[in-house]
Amino acid sequence: MTASEGATIGLAIRHLAMLLERAGIDAPLRESRLIAAHVLQLPPARLTLSEHEPMGDAMMAALLSAAAPRLERRPLSHILGRRAFFKNEFIVNSDVLDPRPETEALVLAALAPPWSTVLDLGTGSGAILLSLLAERRGARGMGTDLSPAALRVAEANAERLEVSARATFGLSDWFSAVTGRFDLIVSNPPYIAEAEMAGLAPELSFEPRMALTDGADGLGAYRAICAGARAHLVPGGWLMMEIGWRQSEAVTALAAEAGLRDVSVLPDLDGRDRIVTTRA
Ligand code: GLN
């Protein structure tokens, strides 16, 4: 498609949507619009008004080159550099797990009880920790990760959400570098079993492997987190973890074995088991 054929922004969007559809992407028109808005540097809501404006050859080439990695199934967030999660936009790249809508259920659960200090184990982009700190003014928190590159993304997001004065970050293998006790511990750890890795959506191959799987049965992180939780919670403090939807029995058993009380399971928006909450 070239400008000499009278190409417009609207036609360019439909052309890219067709390519995305052929690549097996679920919401091709929506994604085409988001990529076009990104390349044209327009707010997505402005695109409709601009549909009849001409799309020059250089702009068309820029659109297709921006979209090329998506046709290879790289996550959309890596192209946009951003991902909307809960009430904010987060910087996302291939050093961190792309925050998922299911994880918003963990944020909502964590906002129910009162607390003023929070520890987020395996913070990744910081999506959970920073959403909580942005929502609960005056609260303080720590985010840990085993990946220095992930911690840099989380720190950039803390700046972006203007909560960096209330957030600290540390390189830690679960609790290994954590001292002190918190009112609340949250985590969305890697919970995919090694045996399930091969059958996943192509997008996951672009995300950090260590954020997805423990390389074993998918429960390794829960063993470590449950075992260390009571030593890092104030009495009555909460531990809330995201789980894979078929892991509720195994994870509630690990929490009970670790002497945690009031263990319960909450569903995500699709009605599947997604969050385990428990108390010290
Ligand atoms: N806590 C981050 C998130 O939920 C990263 C989780 C992970 O890397 N497993 O987005």
Side-chain angles (χ1 to χ4, degrees):
M1 207 165 76
T2 66
S4 49
E5 294 165 29
T8 61
I9 289 174
L11 281 172
I13 289 171
R14 283 190 287 282
H15 177 68
L16 176 56
M18 180 197 72
L19 299 178
L20 291 165
E21 185 167 20
R22 277 193 208 149
I25 284 156
D26 281 343
L29 191 56
R30 183 185 150 266
E31 291 205 11
S32 178
R33 293 175 62 84
L34 289 171
I35 297 168
H38 175 70
V39 170
L40 295 164
Q41 299 185 329
L42 287 172
R46 265 288 316 279
L47 276 185
T48 311
L49 281 175
S50 309
E51 287 226 337
H52 299 290
E53 288 172 21
M55 183 85 177
D57 287 348
M59 229 5 136
M60 191 66 204
L63 178 68
L64 293 176
S65 94
R70 187 65 186 117
L71 300 177
E72 307 290 323
R73 304 296 293 267
R74 184 173 274 282
L76 180 64
S77 61
H78 293 185
I79 292 164
L80 305 179
R82 301 278 184 280
R83 158 76 109 159
F85 175 82
F86 198 62
K87 298 189 186 170
N88 296 284
E89 264 205 338
F90 288 81
I91 299 163
V92 170
N93 63 26
S94 56
D95 293 325
V96 296
L97 187 84
D98 193 1
R100 308 291 205 269
E102 306 89 274
T103 306
E104 294 177 348
L106 176 55
V107 174
L108 279 173
L111 287 169
W115 50 265
S116 56
T117 58
V118 55
L119 170 65
D120 179 12
L121 295 170
T123 197
S125 65
I128 301 168
L129 173 72
L130 302 173
S131 294
L132 292 174
L133 293 181
E135 198 68 12
R136 192 149 293 178
R137 293 280 152 199
R140 309 185 69 84
M142 176 177 196
T144 67
D145 209 286
L146 198 50
S147 157
L151 290 172
R152 286 194 287 274
V153 175
E155 279 167 359
N157 279 318
E159 294 281 333
R160 192 178 157 84
L161 272 66
E162 297 179 357
V163 298
S164 36
R166 296 185 285 121
T168 58
F169 295 96
L171 193 66
S172 184
D173 184 2
W174 304 121
F175 292 105
S176 69
V178 177
T179 53
R181 292 177 186 267
F182 296 81
D183 300 333
L184 168 69
I185 298 173
V186 289
S187 185
N188 173 25
Y191 55 66
I192 302 169
E194 176 67 36
E196 291 170 334
M197 287 297 288
L200 299 175
E203 280 79 359
L204 279 83
S205 67
F206 296 95
E207 298 187 76
R209 204 183 143 76
M210 67 185 281
L212 297 168
T213 180
D214 61 356
D217 66 353
L219 295 169
Y222 301 110
R223 291 188 188 96
I225 293 169
C226 289
R230 284 174 69 201
H232 295 91
L233 283 170
V234 300
W238 295 88
L239 167 63
M240 301 191 185
M241 299 172 288
E242 179 169 332
I243 59 165
W245 62 283
R246 288 167 300 192
Q247 291 173 321
S248 56
E249 268 183 46
V251 177
T252 54
L254 287 170
E257 277 166 39
L260 292 156
R261 62 182 173 94
D262 300 343
V263 184
S264 70
V265 179
L266 305 174
D268 61 21
L269 291 171
D270 295 325
R272 300 201 284 196
D273 288 352
R274 189 58 68 186
I275 313 295
V276 169
T277 77
T278 174
R279 303 183 78 173

